[in-house]
Amino acid sequence: MELAYIPSPSSGVLYLGPIPLRGYAFSILVGLFVALWIVDRRWVARGGQKGTAWDIAFWAIPFGLVGGRLYHVITDYQLYFGEGRDWVDAFKIWEGGLGIWGAVALGALGAWIGCRRRGIALPPYADAVAPGLALAQAIGRWGNWFNQELYGRETDLPWALHITSTEGGRVPGYYHPTFLYESLWCVGVALLVIWADRRFKLGHGRAFALYVAAYCAGRFWIEYMRVDEAHDILGLRLNNWTAMIVFVLAVVYIVVSAKKRPGREDVVEPGAADASGGTGEQDKTDSPEATDDAEPTEATEAGEETKAEESAKTAKTIKTAKGKEDAEAEEGAEADSGDARSKDGAGSAKKS
């Protein structure tokens, strides 16, 4: 008796009136918008200018889509160029088929071009992108559910995915929902990067490298469960080898970068402070150095005024004292003159 399972949609296309809305494309678009919203907030928090993330995405997203499709077509060329296949199907991206490895690689090239045009270094921008990109993958993986593709081995677990389509050689049954496993893993990767970035102040591309390493670790065991057609090398699927190689490169980058360039960038976008409303003159006036210079000047002026007042008071005191001495001298002279006249008068009186 079937107790529980994850049902598959009867169709991967939803119609809004006459407009077809494909679940695969819808999932990718929702993931991209969520990622850009997160990237913009993280970039501003790092000291960047609001809107810069969207400007760079104008270059990164088209490059990423092309890169993802190229990787899928090249690694699964037999699906499009084999016997009885139509090569035109390689352009039908809405039917599914984006390789994350190619999407990240070529998307990084597009982001680098966008950063160069804005005068921004790529590593700090990549650090801002990392958790948003993981969440975009988590949402985008539900596109595989709409297309009933990329599932794992058969299982009787209560969360088994019920495949009903027979298109492309599918066999209806109950399988491991590897799309769900990867979606949940990517959510965990995003949370890990956000936590580590806050805890260790990751910079110079190390947050992005952590995202890459963590994703590869999960992708390895999830890829190992899948049963869709793929190229094998020494008993492992091609994407398993890719995950291992990229994981090692990401870990090496984290170790080497931490030794050569520890800490985090102080400035991520030149001119962002001025664009936020500040001016050079205001910053100079409000700075501690300017305040320290202004205080001694005022104190000096106050001291000079005090000294001038004291000098004026001293001069006035001296002048007053001198005036008193002159007055006493005049009074003494008048007294002596009076005594002399009195003596002369007395002498005359005696003679007469």
Side-chain angles (χ1 to χ4, degrees), residues 33 77 84 114-115 122 170 195 200 219 243 256 265 272 285 307 317 320 332 336-337 341 348 352:
F33 277 106
Y77 61 87
C115 287
L122 180 61
R170 297 183 181 91
W195 171 82
F200 302 105
R219 179 62 184 267
V256 174
E265 301 89 344
T285 303
K307 290 180 180 179
T317 302
T320 303
D336 292 342
S337 176
R341 287 195 295 270
S348 299
S352 61

Side-chain angles (χ1 to χ4, degrees), residues 5 11 30 35 52 55-57 74 100 102 113 129 173 175 189 204 223 230 237 251 255 292 294 323 334 337 343:
Y5 60 87
S11 174
V30 171
T52 296
D55 293 340
I56 297 176
I74 291 173
I100 186 61
I113 295 174
V129 166
Y175 301 88
V189 170
H204 302 285
E223 185 73 22
R237 293 164 65 96
V251 172
V255 174
D292 293 341
E334 290 178 358
S337 176
K343 290 179 181 180

Side-chain angles (χ1 to χ4, degrees), residues 220-240:
F220 182 86
W221 67 268
I222 293 171
E223 185 73 22
Y224 192 74
M225 296 179 66
R226 284 168 47 174
V227 294
D228 54 298
E229 185 178 358
H231 295 288
D232 287 349
I233 301 176
L234 300 178
L236 289 177
R237 293 164 65 96
L238 175 61
N239 283 331
N240 283 117

Side-chain angles (χ1 to χ4, degrees), residues 239-254:
N239 283 331
N240 283 117
W241 286 103
T242 305
M244 285 192 296
I245 294 172
V246 175
F247 173 83
V248 172
L249 293 176
V251 172
V252 169
Y253 178 86
I254 292 174

Side-chain angles (χ1 to χ4, degrees), residues 7-159:
S8 293
S10 57
S11 174
V13 183
L14 303 175
Y15 287 90
L16 300 178
I19 302 175
L21 180 62
R22 298 185 179 277
Y24 187 85
F26 178 74
S27 299
I28 292 175
L29 288 176
V30 171
L32 288 175
F33 277 106
V34 170
L36 285 172
W37 178 76
I38 294 174
V39 173
D40 188 58
R41 289 175 61 88
R42 283 176 55 83
W43 184 249
V44 172
R46 286 288 302 274
Q49 186 176 346
K50 189 173 182 60
T52 296
W54 294 85
D55 293 340
I56 297 176
F58 176 80
W59 292 89
I61 291 177
F63 273 74
L65 292 175
V66 172
R69 188 60 175 178
L70 281 176
Y71 181 88
H72 168 72
V73 172
I74 291 173
T75 55
D76 291 315
Y77 61 87
Q78 72 281 356
L79 300 177
Y80 306 100
F81 303 101
E83 185 178 354
R85 302 286 184 171
D86 187 358
W87 63 271
V88 177
D89 292 339
F91 297 95
K92 297 179 180 179
I93 192 172
W94 56 87
E95 293 183 355
L98 287 175
I100 186 61
W101 315 109
V104 172
L106 215 56
L109 175 60
W112 177 78
I113 295 174
C115 287
R116 289 276 295 180
R117 292 173 62 88
R118 294 296 296 262
I120 297 171
L122 180 61
Y125 182 78
D127 287 338
V129 166
L133 184 56
L135 286 178
Q137 289 177 248
I139 297 172
R141 270 304 175 194
W142 284 84
N144 301 134
W145 175 69
F146 281 101
N147 286 352
Q148 297 195 39
E149 61 184 359
L150 307 186
Y151 44 85
R153 306 185 190 100
E154 286 190 284
T155 181
D156 57 357
L157 291 171
W159 56 82

